[in-house]
Amino acid sequence: MCACRAIEGYNMPRTKPNIIITGTPGVGKTTLCESLTSITGLQHLAINRVAKERECHGGWDDALNSWIVDEDKVRYPQEDATSGSEARSGCYRSAGADDGQILDAIEDEVKQGGYLIDWHACDLFPESWIDLVIVLRSDSTTLYDRLKARNYSEQKLQENMDAEIMEVLLDEAREAFDGELVIELQSNTSDDMEGNTSRIETWIGQWTRERCNEAVHDTPSL
């Protein structure tokens, strides 16, 4: 049997990695996912699209240009800090939440492995689901031009610029996941995109060989 990382709650190990591609709107998450999908065979799981199609949202967020996901209702706790009233199995939900939320909606797919999870946040996903977190970064001028081309309002544009400058999503990733899983990559030019695609493709190949050869149990370096 492959020495692949098993998902909490399931005995079957993954034979393909799950990778989060995250970052501020405009850094190139979707472009990178589509590029990787075409050459690696991993599937592109755009959470924004899932939220819309499966009605796992609470409306539209103008600032983020995406559907709102109620993360409090779908978060899997790393530790049970409550008195034990919440079940340890399944999602940690607030009152009134139902099964039509994001983690429930994608669980059966993600537990099999082989997904590029495209989302502007990453801390709602259980660490046991994830093998690598890529945080894409762009310089201020490049990001401004990209967001301006999307016809963002000045307020909306500035909010996203501030988030990028203050490294909000990078800090979030480092707080939510083991530091060895989080990789920061620049995404300003087509050369950056090509290089990032190549590096991640190499990492996927190494991850697969190590797991299925039962040779190395640690996550390979990118």
Side-chain angles (χ1 to χ4, degrees):
M1 178 181 293
C2 295
C4 308
R5 187 175 185 179
I7 292 184
E8 185 177 356
Y10 297 93
N11 294 323
M12 184 176 66
R14 290 193 291 273
T15 58
K16 295 181 180 180
N18 289 320
I19 302 173
I20 292 176
I21 308 293
T22 191
T24 306
V27 295
K29 299 183 295 294
T30 298
T31 302
L32 179 60
C33 286
E34 291 174 347
S35 176
L36 287 167
T37 294
S38 68
I39 63 174
T40 67
L42 270 63
Q43 298 186 62
H44 181 195
L45 188 63
I47 299 302
N48 198 38
R49 185 171 63 243
V50 172
K52 179 181 179 181
E53 292 178 350
R54 305 185 192 183
E55 298 183 353
C56 304
H57 62 80
W60 182 258
D61 187 323
D62 286 330
L64 290 172
N65 194 35
S66 69
W67 296 99
I68 299 168
V69 176
D70 188 343
E71 297 176 12
D72 290 334
K73 293 182 180 179
V74 300
R75 191 182 307 278
Y76 280 64
Q78 298 295 329
E79 297 181 2
D80 186 2
T82 69
S83 61
S85 59
E86 290 80 17
R88 288 181 179 272
S89 62
C91 293
Y92 179 63
R93 299 183 181 86
S94 59
D98 58 31
D99 289 339
Q101 299 292 343
I102 286 292
L103 293 186
D104 284 329
I106 67 175
E107 182 175 13
D108 287 342
E109 295 145 296
V110 174
K111 73 181 182 182
Q112 300 174 49
Y115 282 90
L116 299 163
I117 302 173
D118 174 357
W119 188 230
H120 59 252
C122 63
D123 64 344
L124 75 159
F125 301 104
E127 187 170 0
S128 60
W129 287 24
I130 305 302
D131 301 289
L132 185 68
V133 180
I134 299 294
V135 183
L136 295 181
R137 305 295 309 282
S138 292
D139 63 48
S140 297
T141 300
T142 300
L143 185 60
Y144 182 91
D145 290 343
R146 290 174 181 172
L147 297 181
K148 195 70 173 177
R150 295 184 178 186
N151 296 319
Y152 278 25
S153 68
E154 284 300 321
Q155 178 181 353
K156 183 175 170 183
L157 192 154
Q158 193 58 54
E159 287 172 353
N160 284 290
M161 293 291 297
D162 289 346
E164 179 68 7
I165 292 169
M166 293 187 290
E167 302 185 340
V168 170
L169 294 178
L170 179 61
D171 288 345
E172 176 185 284
R174 287 171 171 167
E175 290 176 4
F177 295 92
D178 186 290
E180 293 184 356
L181 298 183
V182 180
I183 303 296
E184 176 185 6
L185 296 177
Q186 292 299 310
S187 181
N188 296 302
T189 67
S190 58
D191 286 344
D192 288 341
M193 184 64 64
E194 182 178 344
N196 292 341
T197 300
S198 178
R199 289 181 66 184
I200 297 169
E201 180 187 14
T202 299
W203 182 92
I204 292 169
Q206 183 181 353
W207 186 96
T208 303
R209 288 191 300 273
E210 290 181 354
R211 283 350 185 236
C212 294
N213 289 334
E214 298 186 347
V216 178
H217 295 275
D218 295 330
T219 298
S221 299
L222 183 66

